[in-house]
Structure formats: C-alpha cells, structure tokens
Amino acid sequence: MYLLLAGLAVILIFFHIYNKNRKKSVACLMYHNVFAEKTEGIISEKEFEKHMEYIKDMKTYKMEELEKMNYILDEESILVTFDDGYKNNYTKAFPILKKYNIKATIFLNTVYIGNDRDYLDWNEIKEMYESGLIDFQLHTHSHYPTIRKPEVKGVFEKTEGDFVKREYFPIFREGLSNKEKAETKDFRDLDFTGLPVFKIRSQISMKGLKLKEGFVDKYREIVNSEEFISKSSKERKIFLNKLFKVHKKEFFEEISEEEFEKKVEFEITENKRLIEEKLNKKAEFLSYPWGHTYKGNVERIKKLGIKSFVMTSGKANNVKINPEKIYRINGDKIKDYNLFEKKLKYVYNKG
C-alpha cells in the first residue's frame, strides 16, 4: 500500500512540474458557418454563443493588430476566426460577438461576395469592419479546388448539400461542352447526381488535373449504360478507377507549371486587391483553403504581399506567435460545450 501511495505521489509531482514548465499557449479558434439550429458538422447559434460566453473575459485581437504587437500575445488572450465569409457570419455570429465585445477575423473568398446569396455583401462587410470588432483577410479569391489524382472516392447523391456542390462546381464546369458552359453559370444550374467525387486539393497548393471538355457527357454515357448499371457499387468504383487510370489522357488534362503559377498569383492578388480597395486597409494574412499549403517556394507568395500564413492544424500557438504558421483549433469540431471547455483548459493549462 505504501509503495502504491508513493508511486502516485511521484506521478502527481511529475505532472505538477510538467504543467508548471510547459510553454504558455494561446488558442486561435476557427469557424465557418453559424446556423440557427443544430446541424451535423456546423455549429449552431446557441452552441456558438456558449463558446463566446466562455471566452468573454479573455483578451481578443484581430489579425491586423498582431504585427504592431510583434506577434506577442497575453497569456489570457485568444483569437477568433471564420473562413469563407458566409452571410450567417453577419446575421448570426456578429450580434453575439458584439454582445460580448469579442474581436474576430473573417478570411474572405471574394469571388462570392455580393454574387451568392449564401455569402456576405460589401455593405455588411463594411459595417462589420467599421464596428472595430471585425477584421477581413485573405482566403484566396475563389477557394476553387483541383483534382489531386484521377481516383473516384464515391459519387454525388441527390441529397448532397450546397457546400460540397459549390466546391466541386468549377471542376465539373471545366468538363462541360462549350454550349453547356454558356448555359451553366451557377452550381445550382448543374445536376450533380451520380457525378464522381475525386480526391481534391486547393488549386493554390499543387498543379493537379482538370477535366477535359466533354467529360461530363462521356461520363454520363458510361454510367447510364446497361453494363455499368448491372454492376454493384463496389464494382462500379473499381471499373471507373481502372478506366480513368488506363485512359487518363482521354478524360483529364495536367495543369502546367505556368498555368499553376498564374493561378496562384491571380487568386492571391485579386483577393488582396478587392479587400484593400473596398475597406481601405491592408490585407496581408492568408488562410490557406482547407489548410492545404503552397508546395512551391513560399518566398514567392510573400512577394505578393503576404506577411503571415494561417493553418488548420488543430494545434495551439506559443504566446510569441510564429507569423509563418498561425495554428488554429477547429471550433466546428468541438461545438459540444464540454469538449470545447476541456480543449481550452488544456491549452491554457487549467485542467
């Protein structure tokens, strides 16, 4: 019994010393949508308010404030961010942030601003920015993906949500005929049912592949054949992957190095231009779409006017933040209050 108690005492002393000497950390939270009701994978208005109520007494900062602070934060501080720029950031999140006087940063995909009903417009963005609570930074102009490899993971179901359809739309639009492209301007105009789900990456991360013109018609002809319909789901997937591997050049086109670099430059400079012109401010913080980092020499990105890179790794940051890698914790994945509280207590060495 004595040995057991002595062993427990040693363990407790070890953890006390470990926690005392552990580097001081701060969290940077990441959100996307805030919905009125509970939804799988998306935080609800009530859940988000509970998160904000928990951190209301902590110091919060906008990204645009960090450089003046030499990227050194107080131990009792936290950063709040949103990706994409959805309309509900204004209608649902902003009133809660104002209620608790919490500062936040929204990383915008500017191609959708004022052009898609699910996204913010510039009047809402200006109102939020002028409140002094909300900063706006870079998330690339379009957030479009590229095909990582010609491998089918599955197919689109009729019930697939708008979020995924919007992400995949530019991929499939490339594969339409010229006539269909002229008629299909929005993802809501395209029937996604049965179309292949590929492995994708951010188009500013790697060159990847794009669909050849007419891909969609060819694909539908194949999958609507009696031979294909007679196969099981597993057999269909095997068949398509073999077909695309053997006849890759018939269905896909490799994006050239030149095209890739032009795309990277446009996506960042256009994103930056619009935010800076509309808000009369500097936009120098880039949140990588999906957290997919640029695979080339990052110095090239910095020359476009980027001073800091924001990730989605799930880690906390040292109080002396590294502007090259600002890590974020996905608040959408810990929307349950108990999980959220447990995570933050660990980060701030309180649990």
Side-chain angles (χ1 to χ4, degrees):
M1 184 68 181
Y2 173 79
L3 289 174
L4 178 62
L5 289 173
L8 286 172
V10 170
I11 291 170
L12 289 171
I13 291 168
F14 170 79
F15 277 108
H16 174 73
I17 295 170
Y18 168 76
N19 283 327
K20 189 176 180 180
N21 295 312
R22 209 174 83 190
K23 285 184 178 179
K24 301 297 183 182
S25 300
V26 293
C28 180
L29 300 173
M30 174 183 68
Y31 301 94
H32 293 82
N33 282 286
V34 179
F35 279 7
E37 304 297 331
K38 284 190 175 183
T39 309
E40 187 179 352
I42 297 170
I43 198 165
S44 72
E45 196 172 0
K46 286 184 179 178
E47 289 166 332
F48 180 71
E49 176 151 17
K50 288 192 78 174
H51 282 199
M52 296 303 102
E53 187 176 14
Y54 183 85
I55 68 169
K56 66 181 179 4
D57 295 323
M58 301 178 76
K59 292 181 181 178
T60 54
Y61 301 99
K62 299 174 289 185
M63 290 291 163
E64 66 180 2
E65 297 176 309
L66 299 187
E67 187 178 14
K68 294 175 184 176
M69 299 163 62
N70 198 29
Y71 296 94
I72 300 174
L73 301 186
D74 304 290
E75 290 179 16
E76 289 294 316
S77 63
I78 193 165
L79 303 175
V80 179
T81 68
F82 296 82
D83 277 0
D84 304 330
Y86 295 109
K87 178 75 73 175
N88 52 53
N89 292 178
Y90 175 79
T91 59
K92 303 298 182 188
F94 186 42
I96 294 168
L97 294 168
K98 286 194 291 185
K99 178 179 177 179
Y100 296 109
N101 198 37
I102 291 172
K103 293 179 179 179
T105 299
I106 299 175
F107 295 95
L108 290 177
N109 296 130
T110 40
V111 73
Y112 299 116
I113 302 305
N115 299 314
D116 188 307
R117 62 175 180 256
D118 293 332
Y119 281 75
L120 297 164
D121 62 41
W122 286 112
N123 288 330
E124 292 161 342
I125 289 168
K126 285 177 182 176
E127 180 187 335
M128 294 169 84
Y129 183 64
E130 289 170 1
S131 74
L133 289 177
I134 313 298
D135 183 25
F136 291 90
Q137 294 290 340
L138 309 164
H139 199 39
T140 73
H141 182 53
S142 70
H143 203 290
Y144 290 168
T146 190
I147 299 170
R148 182 181 176 188
K149 57 173 68 175
E151 186 176 319
V152 178
K153 293 164 53 182
V155 296
F156 278 84
E157 303 291 340
K158 199 173 185 67
T159 55
E160 188 61 71
D162 284 356
F163 180 81
V164 179
K165 287 180 180 178
R166 186 186 285 107
E167 298 285 354
Y168 266 82
F169 177 65
I171 285 178
F172 291 126
R173 194 168 184 276
E174 289 274 4
L176 297 174
S177 65
N178 284 331
K179 182 176 181 295
E180 288 175 312
K181 281 180 187 175
E183 297 168 350
T184 312
K185 300 294 186 184
D186 185 85
F187 77 92
R188 299 174 184 90
D189 301 328
L190 181 66
D191 180 10
F192 283 78
T193 308
L195 288 176
V197 176
F198 295 109
K199 291 187 175 183
I200 60 172
R201 297 287 290 182
S202 165
Q203 66 172 348
I204 71 158
S205 172
M206 61 178 289
K207 290 184 292 184
L209 305 166
K210 60 183 177 181
L211 301 180
K212 283 197 168 180
E213 182 186 327
F215 171 93
V216 174
D217 285 340
K218 281 184 183 179
Y219 174 82
R220 284 191 167 137
E221 186 178 343
I222 292 165
V223 300
N224 289 329
S225 69
E226 287 185 16
E227 182 187 356
F228 187 84
I229 292 170
S230 68
K231 298 178 184 294
S232 67
S233 296
K234 185 179 179 180
E235 288 171 334
R236 291 175 185 180
K237 188 175 174 182
I238 292 169
F239 173 84
L240 288 172
N241 283 328
K242 185 177 179 181
L243 176 71
F244 291 153
K245 184 177 181 180
V246 174
H247 300 283
K248 180 180 174 182
K249 290 184 179 179
E250 182 182 341
F251 293 98
F252 303 90
E253 182 181 337
E254 291 191 8
I255 295 168
S256 69
E257 186 69 32
E258 182 182 4
E259 185 181 351
F260 170 64
E261 294 298 350
K262 281 183 179 178
K263 194 174 291 184
V264 171
E265 183 171 343
F266 172 79
E267 284 292 318
I268 292 173
T269 56
E270 183 66 2
N271 197 204
K272 186 177 174 66
R273 180 188 70 80
L274 286 166
I275 294 172
E276 292 185 345
E277 284 184 4
K278 295 289 186 179
L279 299 181
N280 192 28
K281 70 176 292 294
K282 288 287 186 182
E284 300 170 316
F285 289 73
L286 173 65
S287 164
Y288 282 118
W290 297 290
H292 298 165
T293 57
Y294 175 68
K295 300 305 180 188
N297 185 345
V298 77
E299 292 302 317
R300 186 176 182 281
I301 302 290
K302 290 180 181 179
K303 287 177 182 176
L304 300 177
I306 306 302
K307 289 185 176 179
S308 187
F309 299 89
V310 183
M311 314 294 181
T312 57
S313 68
K315 299 179 184 177
N317 300 277
N318 192 283
V319 289
K320 175 68 171 79
I321 285 182
N322 176 9
E324 300 276 327
K325 292 180 180 179
I326 298 179
Y327 298 118
R328 293 188 293 174
I329 295 167
N330 192 337
D332 299 329
K333 288 187 177 179
I334 50 171
K335 58 182 183 174
D336 176 81
Y337 182 77
N338 291 329
L339 284 175
F340 179 79
E341 183 183 35
K342 184 178 179 182
K343 182 70 174 179
L344 289 196
K345 279 185 175 180
Y346 177 78
V347 170
Y348 292 94
N349 199 15
K350 293 181 177 180

